[in-house]
Amino acid sequence: MADSPDRRAAFEAEAVPHLDAVYRFALRLAGSPDAAEDLVQETYLRAYRAWEQFTPGTNAKSWLFTICRNVFLRQRERGQRHQEIVERESPRELAQGVGNLVNPIWSSTNDQDPEGQFFDSIVDDEVLRAIDALPEEYRTAVVLSDVEGLPYQEIAEMMGVPVGTVKSRLFRGRRQLQKVLHDFAVEMGYIEQRSSEVG
Amino acid sequence: MVMDTIRKMLGGDRGGDEITCMEALEQIYDFMDGELEAADSAAVQKHFEVCTACYPHLKMEENFRRKVQSAMARAGTPTGLRDRVLTLLDEGESEGEAPE
């Protein structure tokens, strides 16, 4: 069956404008520009072939992110084994995690930099390295929420997990990232280590 | 309920839209992520505006998020990627691939 011009036009209007966002996401998943470009191309090819499955009026960006992550996870399955995260998701443990309300970073910096301005001093490459070092489940949640601004519900559907799990992954991912950047800032002398409680 | 007891301890039983420090910090990510109902969001925002103890927590989280966003924004899309994707779609069409 030949593709109609309408089909192609609709795809170009709805899906192609999200190319920058999909590439940004793919780069954090795949790690290198070459691998990210391959991932983006595969994502768009699959999306185009499956275009009839897209529901008009829903978020095309989320739909593309879902395809992109599925392609990435399938490629990874064929490649080397990866580190599985240990999900601590019993309500009690989740409450304990979220119950740790005062950010440990803040306990360390509150007398010298309470508003966390040290984050500004850190070079972008170091931040990207720290993001890439997160387990994929945390990395995806943090990128989709903090950078792409997707609602919890959409991230949950994308990742095939309950909203509570998304919240837990965001909490742990953000805290882990903050700790790495805090330790880097201490190492670089942007802030002094005042507390041994960060850990 | 434990939470009710803590709320009383922290002087949270003031009625109206006032919330305690604990409640504000508990909801800090829901608030920043736009996941709260308008009334709850307004109550949390008001708390952060007036509470000198909690305000720096919000600023720190905002500074952190801004840094993550600006670092991510630096990675630009490679030149010509859009054209290469469009070419790929053309090839997909000429191969006569039926949608699954």
Side-chain angles (χ1 to χ4, degrees):
Chain A
M1 186 185 77
D3 292 307
S4 74
D6 285 354
R7 181 174 189 274
R8 173 66 179 251
F11 187 80
E12 284 195 23
E14 291 269 0
V16 177
H18 299 299
L19 190 64
D20 290 343
V22 174
Y23 179 79
R24 256 199 316 267
F25 181 49
L27 187 56
R28 295 281 69 81
L29 286 177
S32 78
D34 283 349
E37 172 147 356
D38 287 348
L39 184 52
V40 169
Q41 293 195 356
E42 185 64 25
T43 300
Y44 271 86
L45 197 57
R46 277 169 195 256
Y48 190 47
R49 286 175 185 165
W51 183 234
E52 280 66 25
Q53 290 165 25
F54 173 70
T55 313
T58 61
N59 191 342
K61 193 162 84 166
S62 291
W63 186 68
L64 290 162
F65 285 153
T66 308
I67 295 172
C68 183
R69 179 166 186 261
N70 288 344
V71 171
F72 170 75
L73 293 179
R74 215 168 301 130
Q75 284 172 352
R76 192 179 65 175
E77 267 171 30
R78 290 198 295 263
Q80 75 273 40
R81 298 180 64 82
H82 71 284
Q83 190 85 36
E84 293 281 352
I85 58 165
V86 181
E87 301 252 30
R88 289 170 292 177
E89 285 169 9
S90 75
R92 196 173 65 95
E93 285 173 320
L94 189 57
Q96 281 172 353
V98 178
N100 183 13
L101 294 176
V102 175
N103 194 320
I105 303 299
W106 196 76
S107 307
S108 160
T109 60
N110 73 76
D111 58 343
Q112 50 178 331
D113 183 5
E115 298 185 6
Q117 285 168 4
F118 72 87
F119 285 121
D120 267 347
S121 314
I122 300 171
V123 292
D124 290 339
D125 281 344
E126 198 59 38
V127 178
L128 295 177
R129 250 194 300 278
I131 294 172
D132 292 351
L134 291 174
E136 186 277 325
E137 290 84 350
Y138 296 173
R139 196 183 337 145
T140 291
V142 168
V143 167
L144 295 180
S145 179
D146 289 14
V147 182
E148 303 300 339
L150 294 188
Y152 295 166
Q153 184 61 44
E154 278 186 32
I155 300 174
E157 284 165 16
M158 260 200 61
M159 301 184 82
V161 295
V163 166
T165 304
V166 170
K167 289 179 69 163
S168 157
R169 287 178 179 179
L170 282 172
F171 182 84
R172 295 179 200 288
R174 285 165 179 164
R175 288 282 168 99
Q176 200 169 315
L177 198 49
Q178 287 168 349
K179 183 188 178 325
V180 171
L181 297 179
H182 166 271
D183 292 352
F184 176 77
V186 169
E187 201 180 304
M188 298 298 286
Y190 301 146
I191 45 173
E192 285 174 42
Q193 178 79 62
R194 296 279 176 83
S195 165
S196 57
E197 285 170 24
V198 179
Chain B
M1 281 291 291
V2 178
M3 279 301 293
D4 288 338
T5 312
I6 293 169
R7 191 173 301 141
K8 276 184 191 126
M9 279 167 55
L10 293 173
D13 260 3
R14 288 164 295 195
D17 59 355
E18 285 187 35
I19 61 169
T20 63
C21 295
M22 193 179 192
E23 288 169 323
L25 292 178
E26 226 169 29
Q27 299 178 85
I28 191 166
Y29 286 144
D30 296 295
F31 169 70
M32 292 178 69
D33 297 338
E35 295 282 341
L36 296 178
E37 300 288 333
D40 293 334
S41 181
V44 172
Q45 183 171 358
K46 187 178 165 206
H47 182 89
F48 280 116
E49 279 168 2
V50 299
C51 178
T52 51
C54 289
Y55 177 78
H57 284 264
L58 182 65
K59 296 310 283 183
M60 194 204 77
E61 294 290 349
E62 287 175 349
N63 277 326
F64 165 70
R65 180 163 304 184
R66 207 172 302 121
K67 186 67 202 180
V68 170
Q69 289 170 342
S70 67
M72 284 279 296
R74 252 199 59 213
T77 311
T79 318
L81 178 59
R82 186 175 186 278
D83 290 341
R84 288 194 288 281
V85 165
L86 292 178
T87 307
L88 195 68
L89 300 184
D90 291 338
E91 287 166 6
E93 281 176 0
S94 64
E95 282 167 18
E97 296 268 7
E100 284 164 33

